[in-house]
Amino acid sequence: MTHHDVMSHAPEPADDPHVLGPGLLPTPFTADEIRAATGRGKTIRILVEAPGGVRFERINRFTDCDGDGATLARWRLTAVGAAADAVDGEIARGRVAWRELQGHAAFPADRTTVVEETVELPLGRLACLRYDTRDRPDDPVETFWVAREHPGMPVRYEVPTPGGVERSTVVSIERAG
């Protein structure tokens, strides 16, 4: 893995659609780029590895896509690699705006570092931007890997929890016909 500093200060918001406000780093994708990559819909399968050896898969499915947003359904599967992909628990559904999804990657410039990094994931070998960020100066670091070839959510992220680090990795992305 090779990496170097990409950005350590916030640009001026001006007319850059990647910059959502003062003090924020540019987002890797605009709302329009996320909408275009989602098209008429897509399904993202995510492997979650929690502390203590707990592993499960989660599905994020985008439907009813239009110029403003989409319906996002999220659910957990009963077992990793389950043949039947049975739903475990409730299916959460709600409307999300493309701009809202873009905002999830609007990190504070003074508490975030960004480096380029190539990672091997189930989606393949991907050139990513790795964001190391924290909400407050004394908080533990959360890390997000964003692949430019997959506009939308990070392809991997790690979040500290009281029992250790929880890692979520995108294992597949299927776009609706």
Side-chain angles (χ1 to χ4, degrees), residues 19-100:
V19 180
L20 297 183
L24 298 174
L25 291 175
T27 59
F29 311 110
T30 66
D32 287 340
E33 290 168 331
I34 295 168
R35 179 191 46 75
T38 304
R40 294 189 330 210
K42 72 179 171 182
T43 300
I44 304 170
R45 188 179 201 111
I46 304 153
L47 172 63
V48 179
E49 299 168 286
V54 174
R55 294 168 43 108
F56 61 91
E57 287 183 319
R58 191 177 70 237
I59 302 293
N60 289 358
R61 181 167 292 150
F62 293 86
T63 59
D64 305 319
C65 301
D66 59 33
D68 297 322
T71 298
L72 173 60
R74 296 173 38 134
W75 65 91
R76 184 173 163 162
L77 298 178
T78 54
V80 172
D85 286 341
V87 174
D88 181 12
E90 299 284 321
I91 297 176
R93 282 189 180 80
R95 186 79 179 157
V96 293
W98 304 122
R99 177 95 168 177
E100 173 188 352

Side-chain angles (χ1 to χ4, degrees), residues 104-105 107 112-115 117 128-135 141-147 153-160 168:
H104 292 172
F107 298 113
T112 305
T113 59
V114 184
V115 296
E117 184 172 280
C128 294
L129 293 175
R130 187 186 82 205
Y131 293 79
D132 294 313
T133 189
R134 58 184 81 218
D135 289 332
V141 172
E142 297 179 351
T143 304
F144 302 86
W145 288 264
V146 177
M153 71 176 288
V155 292
R156 171 173 281 167
Y157 51 97
E158 295 178 351
V159 179
S168 298

